[in-house]
Amino acid sequence: MFEGDDYTGGGALDLALSGRSAGGGKVTKVFFNLSVANTAPTAPGNLASNVQCDRVMLSWSAASDNETPAAALSYNLRVGTTPGGSQIMSPQADPSTGARRVVEMGNVQLGSTAWLRLPAGIYFWSVQAVDAAYMGSPFAAEGSFTVPFATTPHITQVARPAAD
C-alpha cells in the first residue's frame, strides 16, 4: 500500500531519484524519511446532493491541511449502490482508512462539486481530500440520495417515405 510520498510508512516523506551519471551509467537513489513530515488533510464536510431528474450535483465543503493550501487540495469521490460501495465510481483508495492506492490527484480533481448522470436507484457516496503529496484524508461521513426515475430516451423525428 502506498500512502502519498511516504514509501516506508514512517510518517515522513521519502524520495526516489533515477537517471544517469555524468559517465552515462544508470543511477537510482532512495532517500528515506526526509525531515519534512506530512499530515493527512481533514475530511471534507457538509456533504449535499441535489437531484434533478437523472442528474445529481454532489457538493461538499473544502477540507484543510497543514502543508497544502485548501485551494490546492484535490478530491476523491466514491459512489456506490450499497452502503460503503464503489460500484459506480471508485475512489482508488481504501474506503475505511483513506489510504491512497495511486499517486495522483483525486478523481474529481480540484473544486468541491461533481455532476453525475445516473439511472433510477438509491446511491451512497462519500469524498476525501487529497493533498499535494497525494496523501488522502479520511472519507467524509457517507451520504445518500435517490434518483427517482430513469433517463428519458432521446426522441428523434423519423423521416416518412415520400407519397407517390
Side-chain angles (χ1 to χ4, degrees):
M1 186 74 55
F2 189 85
E3 179 62 35
D5 290 329
D6 184 11
Y7 181 76
T8 61
L13 299 179
D14 302 313
L15 176 67
L17 300 173
S18 183
R20 295 200 178 266
S21 67
K26 295 178 182 178
V27 177
T28 300
K29 293 190 177 199
V30 179
F31 300 91
F32 297 107
N33 296 317
L34 300 175
S35 61
V36 178
N38 185 38
T39 58
T42 62
N46 301 317
L47 274 62
S49 57
N50 182 3
V51 178
Q52 300 171 5
C53 299
D54 64 337
R55 296 182 343 145
V56 61
M57 182 182 76
L58 303 174
S59 62
W60 52 89
S61 297
S64 62
D65 186 76
N66 292 334
E67 294 79 34
T68 303
L73 294 172
S74 65
Y75 294 92
N76 203 19
L77 180 63
R78 174 193 63 75
V79 181
T81 55
T82 59
S86 57
Q87 298 88 345
I88 304 301
M89 190 168 207
S90 172
Q92 299 180 324
D94 185 311
S96 60
T97 66
R100 304 273 295 137
R101 295 183 177 137
V102 295
V103 183
E104 60 186 31
M105 293 175 78
N107 59 16
V108 293
Q109 304 291 308
L110 303 171
S112 57
T113 60
W115 281 93
L116 299 173
R117 177 166 268 157
L118 298 166
I122 299 172
Y123 297 91
F124 301 88
W125 71 289
S126 187
V127 65
Q128 81 174 150
V130 179
D131 70 13
Y134 307 115
M135 180 177 272
S137 74
F139 277 85
E142 185 173 71
S144 66
F145 60 90
T146 300
V147 175
F149 50 85
T151 305
T152 305
H154 180 69
I155 300 171
T156 56
Q157 187 174 8
V158 178
R160 297 178 189 250
D164 289 339

